[in-house]
Amino acid sequence: METRAQVLIIEDDLGVVQGLVRGLARAGFDTRVAMRGDAALEAVLEDSVDLVLLDLMLPERSGFEILDAVRSRVSVPILVLSARDDLDSRLQSFDSGAVDFIPKPFFIEEIVARIRTRLALRDAGPRRELSLGGVTLDLDARTAHRGAEALKLTRFEFNVLAYLRENAGRAQTRSQIAEHALSESGECDDRTVDSHISRIRKKLGGRAAECVKTVWGIGYRCDLESA
């Protein structure tokens, strides 16, 4: 008998909760509900759900607090649902580890489609992973871990590090890094690239940080021989 995927709904609006529970049940998903921040965080960290739908504005803890706390401990995909549809909220959600952002009001059919797409990616086969200096980059989940420890890389820090690792052994100019890893940020000057590299090295630490080499007068190179 096929196991039904379980979705955790973190939302304090009872009407929205009821609509999501009914719609997801019709689509073949089991659901759990948490309506307050502390209970929601505890439920996610149990790591017994397949996906989370998260509202940003909650009693006790904000959605951003939950995202930050979860990303450092479990890798469950989190889709943000929010009436806060401004660019800053979207970018902060992705930087904090969300895999998708769906503004309210929404159509339940779209929610179902996005959940199915995300779970299909999870089940598609072997994960695409890269390693450097004891750190593993999961390109599908967009997470970085040193053993069991999750490293809190932002969206664009992850982009930069993954780009350098994918091109290991080859020097990349600052312009190349900006074009391939930072174009969506709108900040593509040399100083922005340098700032991202500096933060990445601090977060990596140890052997992994030593893999990110400065190539004077050019840019940066990922050197796996330093690992």
Side-chain angles (χ1 to χ4, degrees):
M1 180 172 148
E2 184 178 355
T3 303
R4 289 159 58 105
Q6 186 165 106
V7 177
L8 173 63
I9 301 167
I10 303 176
E11 167 66 64
D12 67 333
D13 184 318
L14 183 58
V16 173
V17 169
Q18 291 173 337
L20 286 169
V21 169
R22 287 194 300 267
L24 294 180
R26 287 196 301 269
F29 297 105
D30 289 333
T31 56
R32 295 171 58 189
V33 175
M35 300 183 70
R36 304 184 69 83
D38 286 343
L41 181 58
E42 182 177 349
V44 178
L45 294 179
E46 289 177 2
D47 203 19
S48 58
V49 296
D50 297 290
L51 183 140
V52 176
L53 296 176
L54 171 67
D55 183 28
L56 291 180
M57 294 180 285
L58 298 166
E60 297 173 349
R61 289 177 182 262
S62 73
F64 292 125
E65 289 180 287
I66 292 173
L67 279 168
D68 287 339
V70 167
R71 184 173 60 174
S72 66
R73 299 176 61 180
V74 297
S75 60
V76 60
I78 299 179
L79 282 64
V80 167
L81 308 176
S82 181
R84 294 174 56 172
D85 192 23
D86 58 282
L87 179 59
D88 286 345
S89 294
R90 286 172 174 265
L91 293 179
Q92 186 177 350
S93 296
F94 286 121
D95 283 346
S96 297
V99 299
D100 206 346
F101 187 104
I102 306 168
K104 296 178 180 179
F106 51 77
F107 295 102
I108 188 62
E109 293 84 359
E110 181 182 7
I111 299 291
V112 169
R114 293 192 186 219
I115 290 174
R116 284 177 173 160
T117 297
R118 181 54 53 181
L119 294 179
L121 288 173
R122 180 199 66 179
D123 298 334
R127 305 197 73 83
R128 297 179 301 143
E129 295 183 339
L130 299 171
S131 61
L132 72 162
V135 170
T136 299
L137 301 179
D138 186 325
L139 301 182
D140 295 315
R142 291 183 59 81
T143 58
H145 285 80
R146 181 188 294 105
E149 177 193 3
L151 305 181
K152 294 185 178 181
L153 300 179
T154 68
R155 175 189 181 187
F156 295 111
E157 288 167 0
F158 186 93
N159 287 353
V160 170
L161 184 58
Y163 176 70
L164 289 175
R165 174 59 183 84
E166 287 172 335
N167 292 277
R170 298 193 293 269
Q172 303 296 314
T173 67
R174 290 174 175 83
S175 296
Q176 288 174 313
I177 295 169
E179 177 184 354
H180 288 90
L182 301 175
S183 59
E184 294 179 18
S185 72
E187 298 182 5
C188 298
D189 57 72
D190 289 355
R191 285 186 297 179
T192 300
V193 173
D194 291 341
S195 294
H196 280 293
I197 293 292
S198 177
R199 289 193 295 270
I200 288 168
R201 284 170 169 162
K202 288 179 181 178
K203 292 181 179 182
L204 293 178
R207 293 186 297 126
E210 294 174 3
C211 291
V212 182
K213 300 291 189 183
T214 300
V215 182
W216 297 107
I218 298 177
Y220 298 94
R221 182 185 69 247
C222 180
D223 184 358
L224 297 182
E225 293 182 1
S226 299

